[in-house]
Amino acid sequence: MQLPANHRQFESEITSDRRDPSQPTDRALGRVIACSGSRATIAASVARGALDGCAIGRLLSINLGRSRIVGLVYEMRALEPIWNEAAANTVAVEVELLGEVVDGESGTARFDSGITSYPPIGALAHRIRSRDLEHIHDLGQRKGVVLGSLTQDAGVSASVDIERLLSRHFAVLGTTGVGKSSAVALILRKAVAVKPNLRVLILDPHNEYAHAFPDNSVRIDANTLDLPFWLFRFEEFADIVFRGRPPLEDEAEILREAIATARARYRNVSPQDMARDLGSSVLKRPLDLGAARRPGESSGTAEFAAPYRLADLFAAIDELIGLHELRYPRTTLRALRVRLETLHADPRYGFLFAHANSMETIAPVVSQVFRVPHRGRPITVFQLAGLPSEVVNAVASSLARLSFDLAMASRGGYEVLLLCEEAHRYVPQDQALGFTPTRQAIARIAKEGRKYGAYLGIVTQRPGELDPTILSQCSTVFAMRLGNERDQQIIRAAIADASASTISFLSSIGNREAIAFGEAVATTMRMRFAEQRPEELPAMAGRMPGQVEPREPLVEELVARMRGL
Ligand SMILES: Nc1ncnc2c1ncn2[C@@H]1O[C@H](COP(=O)(O)OP(=O)(O)OP(=O)(O)O)[C@@H](O)[C@H]1O
Ligand SMILES: [Mg+2]
């Protein structure tokens, strides 16, 4: 390769500036032969075998004396289209210039993204030092938690600013099986360890997270769930009653009117009547989370969470049926009553009705679902897999709504993280899909949550199917392997500082590896999540991760499991 005439002198200038003269000189890779603002080409000489320590996706440094420019390798090719086994071959290494490490007066170095002085032709490129990698990813004064190590150098920790990670929302994206849920389990374990007032609510569609947190989570499933029917907003309750189809105009009107009548009756009911109904002699005044609102703050919960009795709902419909001058078709009224009766009698919907009328407020729900007090278990794993599919939307919507309202009502006392696995189901890109109240409740956390301590964690295998406005509110993204070109483009669009060359690696990174972008990291970081023990990983009940059943189960066993026995 053609080197500048004065390259010997140049080399001695830059190498003499090394802080540690004992440092091995074999870190040298080659010299800059072209530079075009944000990119540079380095010519390296390869005598035998491969170019050691230099590969796509790695960082290298270009020595400028008092500073070292950091470059990311995105392309390598031999300058001649042949390979000479007998002699040295010249390889062109294309790098994107990310920033520079500058040595300070006191001997401390710091990394700045952006370049103040560009590398001259002939500048020497090195394999990067571990210490420089530490400077590049150093969080400074910010509180970091270690999630793993850098892919390039396993000796350097991969730390994230956990406060920023949570409070500005985060997303974990990647194709199936790359380790998203395992990474989330690791993040959550670290988060609750450093933030005692954090509550985590996991919407777990595969019933896999309880396995990862046996000691510090509670599991809520179809059998242990209590969400009184009166807690739902009208749209949510209607979605349950009409099993996901939009109600006809009359049906919606009737249900709305009957609920309003039942609520009014509940409010006016005498304490003696209530006590008799409930078999208790003392009744407290209903207290509501919404009561903690400050003036001017709006809350969706308070107005909707006022209880009412199912008996009053039936009575209100019966009265409409018995009216002399009918306001609604009698068949529609009767059909609605039958629908409600069927719902009430269906044991799968027991969680809506079983204890609903022995609760006066949503306090027991808040206590159960949001761990107030947490009693050593700040994580709630909400197992959605066993719930009737028709209620999943309404349940997810009400939980997202309650998460926001609880955080707001607590005035900073609690911070709530809502973790949505398979988030594209709740907030799909296609506005015609999904359930509008869930979308609204999640969007509300994404847009306003940080002011009140309500945070969002988004996990999906299909970023392309996720509402881009939600993704753009996630200030930190862990992008794991994504083979699909469209998904890669989504990431590029969502993340301002995502360089094109970084994104291009997403199709080829390994399991457990991620490129972490955004506010919780000092600089875009290619990392590998720490290896966790099998008992720390999410796994479906009765199955250890990576294990298959040692023998084929009998049909009776299968049927018993399918029935949830
Ligand atoms: N950090 C880790 N430590 C140890 N094993 C891991 C880790 N991450 C992933 N694995 C292994 O990879 C398997 C798949 O990981 P995981 O279930 O987290 O993937 P996923 O991306 O959530 O997949 P899916 O999209 O199907 O939900 C795990 O069962 C485990 O065997
Ligand atoms: Mg998963």
Side-chain angles (χ1 to χ4, degrees):
M1 94 194 172
Q2 201 61 47
L3 289 178
N6 63 344
H7 79 276
R8 288 265 163 247
Q9 181 208 340
F10 186 77
E11 183 170 10
S12 70
E13 265 172 29
I14 53 183
T15 47
S16 65
D17 261 336
R18 268 199 205 112
R19 277 176 303 166
D20 181 0
S22 64
Q23 211 163 230
T25 46
D26 61 2
R27 286 192 305 107
L29 286 168
R31 286 181 182 273
V32 174
I33 56 165
C35 179
S36 66
S38 64
R39 300 190 164 195
T41 307
I42 293 152
S45 180
V46 188
R48 288 182 307 279
L51 183 58
D52 191 28
C54 178
I56 304 287
R58 289 195 168 221
L59 300 180
L60 49 73
S61 71
I62 300 169
N63 199 336
L64 297 191
R66 251 165 297 282
S67 72
R68 292 174 293 284
I69 294 187
V70 178
L72 172 74
V73 180
Y74 66 90
E75 192 186 321
M76 289 166 73
R77 73 196 128 75
L79 275 184
E80 296 296 327
I82 49 152
W83 191 258
N84 190 339
E85 288 293 344
N89 297 277
T90 307
V91 172
V93 180
E94 304 287 350
V95 296
E96 184 170 341
L97 305 179
L98 301 182
E100 55 194 12
V101 179
V102 184
D103 289 326
E105 296 292 306
S106 55
T108 53
R110 67 162 212 287
F111 173 77
D112 288 317
S113 48
I115 313 283
T116 49
S117 39
Y118 284 91
I121 301 297
L124 194 62
H126 284 153
R127 279 180 268 283
I128 198 162
R129 306 168 179 178
S130 296
R131 243 179 314 147
D132 279 358
L133 284 174
E134 280 164 13
H135 293 310
I136 292 169
H137 298 294
D138 183 18
L139 289 165
Q141 304 298 316
R142 302 200 272 158
K143 186 158 140 196
V145 301
V146 177
L147 295 180
S149 56
L150 300 188
T151 306
Q152 171 155 7
D153 187 338
V156 180
S157 305
S159 301
V160 300
D161 173 348
I162 198 83
E163 287 289 339
R164 280 287 175 94
L165 181 77
L166 300 174
S167 67
R168 304 290 170 94
H169 316 307
F170 69 93
V172 181
L173 315 171
T175 189
T176 184
V178 287
K180 296 183 296 300
S181 306
S182 307
V184 165
L186 178 66
I187 294 170
L188 298 185
R189 195 170 298 116
K190 299 269 177 170
V192 293
V194 298
K195 286 180 70 75
N197 69 341
L198 181 71
R199 298 294 184 275
V200 180
L201 177 60
I202 306 176
L203 298 183
D204 182 5
H206 304 300
N207 295 1
E208 58 181 352
Y209 278 95
H211 183 270
F213 307 108
D215 302 325
N216 56 357
S217 75
V218 290
R219 186 180 67 186
I220 298 184
D221 60 19
N223 299 320
T224 50
L225 174 61
D226 262 322
L227 275 184
F229 62 91
W230 46 259
L231 168 151
F232 291 92
R233 267 176 55 174
F234 175 75
E235 294 82 355
E236 295 161 356
F237 190 53
D239 194 69
I240 297 173
V241 173
F242 299 103
R243 314 223 161 174
R245 75 152 166 83
L248 306 173
E249 202 181 316
D250 271 348
E251 289 173 329
E253 285 289 304
I254 299 166
L255 190 60
R256 209 185 285 276
E257 185 173 334
I259 291 175
T261 311
R263 279 223 162 94
R265 286 204 185 135
Y266 183 90
R267 275 201 297 275
N268 296 330
V269 79
S270 77
Q272 288 78 9
D273 288 351
M274 279 279 288
R276 209 175 39 240
D277 279 6
L278 300 177
S280 103
S281 57
V282 190
L283 269 176
K284 295 170 252 80
R285 289 289 327 141
L287 48 89
D288 202 300
L289 253 185
R293 258 183 303 154
R294 292 175 200 181
E297 287 176 349
S298 70
S299 163
T301 304
E303 59 192 289
F304 296 104
Y308 59 96
R309 290 185 303 176
L310 200 60
D312 287 335
L313 189 63
F314 284 132
I317 298 175
D318 289 343
E319 283 157 24
L320 289 170
I321 294 174
L323 278 183
H324 201 61
E325 283 182 28
L326 274 180
R327 298 191 5 242
Y328 304 105
R330 200 166 264 139
T331 45
T332 315
L333 286 162
R334 289 223 170 91
L336 178 60
R337 199 185 193 290
V338 170
R339 246 176 204 287
L340 287 168
E341 278 166 11
T342 316
L343 202 64
H344 184 214
D346 188 338
R348 296 180 309 142
Y349 293 83
F351 69 92
L352 294 175
F353 304 106
H355 300 110
N357 286 139
S358 59
M359 286 188 209
E360 292 170 61
T361 73
I362 57 171
V365 178
V366 170
S367 174
Q368 183 199 21
V369 176
F370 295 100
R371 315 301 308 137
V372 180
H374 68 64
R375 301 185 206 283
R377 293 174 184 266
I379 300 175
T380 306
V381 180
F382 212 103
Q383 300 198 327
L384 296 169
L387 287 183
S389 57
E390 308 87 73
V391 298
V392 169
N393 279 335
V395 167
S397 165
S398 62
L399 292 176
R401 204 158 46 77
L402 286 173
S403 302
F404 187 97
D405 288 346
L406 170 71
M408 187 158 87
S410 79
R411 300 182 184 173
Y414 296 110
E415 293 170 62
V416 182
L417 169 69
L418 179 71
L419 189 105
C420 297
E421 268 271 354
E422 310 261 2
H424 56 273
R425 289 195 198 173
Y426 308 113
V427 272
Q429 188 233 6
D430 184 346
Q431 299 288 324
L433 301 176
F435 181 51
T436 309
T438 318
R439 183 193 290 281
Q440 285 168 345
I442 290 180
R444 189 164 175 228
I445 299 180
K447 290 190 185 124
E448 304 172 47
R450 67 183 65 163
K451 280 187 277 183
Y452 303 106
Y455 315 136
L456 205 56
I458 292 286
V459 184
T460 180
Q461 323 173 344
R462 304 197 195 132
E465 289 176 24
L466 185 72
D467 184 342
T469 59
I470 299 288
L471 189 57
S472 65
Q473 298 284 337
C474 294
S475 304
T476 306
V477 173
F478 295 95
M480 303 185 80
R481 190 165 63 244
L482 279 170
N484 184 321
E485 175 65 29
R486 185 162 152 251
D487 287 341
Q488 292 175 17
Q489 274 169 11
I490 304 278
I491 312 268
R492 199 168 294 149
I495 303 152
D497 67 350
S499 69
S501 17
T502 316
I503 300 280
S504 63
F505 307 138
L506 285 177
S507 57
S508 57
I509 62 177
N511 286 349
R512 266 168 59 205
E513 250 195 273
I515 300 177
F517 305 93
E519 295 199 14
V521 288
T523 318
T524 298
M525 174 165 78
R526 183 163 171 186
M527 59 172 290
R528 187 182 290 276
F529 286 105
E531 169 128 34
Q532 297 173 83
R533 295 191 307 273
E535 62 273 21
E536 294 172 321
L537 294 171
M540 273 168 238
R543 208 186 119 189
M544 289 292 270
Q547 256 182 27
V548 284
E549 190 112 23
R551 62 172 177 83
E552 288 183 15
L554 302 172
V555 68
E556 291 79 9
E557 288 174 301
L558 288 178
V559 171
R561 284 184 212 165
M562 287 160 78
R563 291 171 59 207
L565 300 175

